[in-house]
Each structure stands twice: as C-alpha cells, then as structure tokens.
Amino acid sequence: KSFIVAECEAEARADAAQGLCEFPQALAVRLALRFEKRPADILSSMEQAGLPAAKDQRSTVKAIMRLCHPDKCKHPEAKRAMQILSPLLA
C-alpha cells in the first residue's frame, strides 16, 4: 500500500472514531481531498484502499460518490469530495 493511502486510512479511522461517519465514507472523502489536484489518480488509490472498484471508471466513481454523498455522509468535507469527484464522470 502506498504511504498516501495509509495516511488517509489513519485520518479516516480518526474521523470514524469521532463519530463523523463510517470508516469507508471517511476514507473516500480523505482520498478525494488528497488527490484534489490530480483527481484522475484517485481511482487506483481507492482500489488500493479496498473501496468499491467496478468494471469501468464511471461505475467506480459513482460507487465512491455514493459513499461520500452529503445526504449519506456527515463528514464536514463530504460536499468538497463530491465536487472533486464529479468531473471524473464526464
């Protein structure tokens, strides 16, 4: 596992421990924020972290967006994560 993924996992565990949201949701948010400058690199990291990976990029991005959608995830950065991930659907 890459250092970045391990770092995001640690941050996500802390978020979950504080009761912000479930661990997978926090991990999706943390990874999206980390890769804000290069969102195309998010996908391989999400898969490395054990988050949903589908048959194609669009399905994978949709699955990850479901995890961090602000209606389902109470993480304070959930909305920002959605904004980062949205362009990957295009």
Side-chain angles (χ1 to χ4, degrees):
K1 252 185 228 186
S2 78
F3 177 72
I4 291 173
V5 171
E7 222 174 37
C8 289
E9 285 177 342
E11 292 167 353
R13 268 191 217 90
D15 293 342
Q18 290 175 29
L20 293 178
C21 55
E22 297 296 317
F23 173 74
Q25 294 173 312
L27 183 55
V29 170
R30 289 293 182 174
L31 284 166
L33 295 173
R34 181 60 61 95
F35 286 95
E36 184 170 8
K37 299 289 184 233
R38 49 185 208 282
D41 294 343
I42 289 174
L43 296 177
S44 61
S45 296
M46 295 281 186
E47 197 172 342
Q48 230 182 62
L51 290 172
K55 61 189 179 306
D56 57 58
Q57 175 175 321
R58 185 173 177 79
S59 300
T60 301
V61 171
K62 281 180 153 183
I64 293 163
M65 288 176 85
R66 276 193 292 277
L67 278 175
C68 55
H69 193 283
D71 290 349
K72 304 273 186 226
C73 175
K74 300 303 172 210
H75 194 286
E77 297 289 348
K79 183 178 178 189
R80 184 78 196 111
M82 290 293 287
Q83 291 168 341
I84 293 166
L85 293 167
S86 293
L88 294 176
L89 290 177

